[in-house]
Amino acid sequence: MKQWKTWRHGALLAVGLTVSGGVAATTLKHMHVDEMSGAADAVIVGTVQSQEVVRDGNAINTLITFSVNDAITGQPGQSVDVLVPGGSMVSNGIRVGEVNAGVGFFAGNTENVLFLSEPNANGQRAILGYSQGQFAVVDGMVAVGDLGRAITLDEFKTRIRANATP
């Protein structure tokens, strides 16, 4: 009986190591809005113009084009392409998708404040801290969790500029 328990525990350990060996985890560090202001290459107020799901090998991403209504910091240009992980598409007649925790949702023609990375080789940017760097603008107000309240877009822009790295 003792030999059976030893074998069973060894088998469970081997299976556990095999399964956990293929699992990768990422921890997302909380970034305060003032910290993101200094870390961003550009901060914009932009409106969603288009979204396209694209594949990169086995990864599914969404490429979102924003028209730039206001460049709070940086030199982003008239529009920016933002690549976010995840999306849903039809491949060979089958709907496939990828969901990534911490990635925000973007509805068409909505206005957002975005804290953006430098462009990659394809000119695409990422949002700092995933959804931490995305703030919806609704009726001229922005809900800022770090502050525990909503503030006007103008107040938010002033705060971002005050904390931006020159």
Side-chain angles (χ1 to χ4, degrees), residues 28 31 36 64 66 82-85 102-104 106 112-117 125-135:
L28 188 61
M31 293 180 75
M36 284 191 295
I64 307 168
F66 290 87
V82 177
L83 191 66
V84 296
V103 175
F106 295 94
N112 296 269
V113 174
L114 301 172
F115 293 76
L116 301 171
S117 69
R125 296 175 180 262
I127 299 171
L128 294 184
Y130 288 134
S131 62
Q132 294 179 76
Q134 169 196 353
F135 296 84

Side-chain angles (χ1 to χ4, degrees), residues 32-40 43 73 115 159-160 163-165:
H32 190 278
V33 68
D34 295 342
E35 181 183 359
M36 284 191 295
S37 298
V43 182
T73 67
F115 293 76
R159 184 179 190 110
I160 292 166
N163 290 292
T165 302

Side-chain angles (χ1 to χ4, degrees), residues 9-142:
H9 287 126
L12 288 174
L13 178 62
V15 169
L17 290 174
T18 302
V19 171
S20 66
V23 176
T26 301
T27 302
L28 188 61
K29 176 186 172 275
H30 173 75
M31 293 180 75
H32 190 278
V33 68
D34 295 342
E35 181 183 359
M36 284 191 295
S37 298
D41 179 65
V43 182
I44 68 162
V45 178
T47 302
V48 175
Q49 293 301 300
S50 65
Q51 298 186 51
E52 175 188 5
V53 178
V54 294
R55 290 192 82 146
D56 181 13
N58 287 330
I60 297 174
N61 299 304
T62 302
L63 181 63
I64 307 168
T65 300
F66 290 87
S67 62
V68 177
N69 305 337
D70 187 6
I72 301 170
T73 67
Q75 302 292 323
Q78 296 291 318
S79 68
V80 293
D81 289 331
V82 177
L83 191 66
V84 296
S88 175
M89 64 190 304
V90 176
S91 177
N92 297 323
I94 300 170
R95 178 156 299 280
V96 294
E98 184 174 315
V99 177
N100 287 270
V103 175
F105 173 78
F106 295 94
N109 205 34
T110 58
E111 190 173 47
N112 296 269
V113 174
L114 301 172
F115 293 76
L116 301 171
S117 69
E118 292 183 19
N120 65 16
N122 296 323
Q124 303 160 340
R125 296 175 180 262
I127 299 171
L128 294 184
Y130 288 134
S131 62
Q132 294 179 76
Q134 169 196 353
F135 296 84
V137 180
V138 179
D139 296 327
M141 300 294 289
V142 181

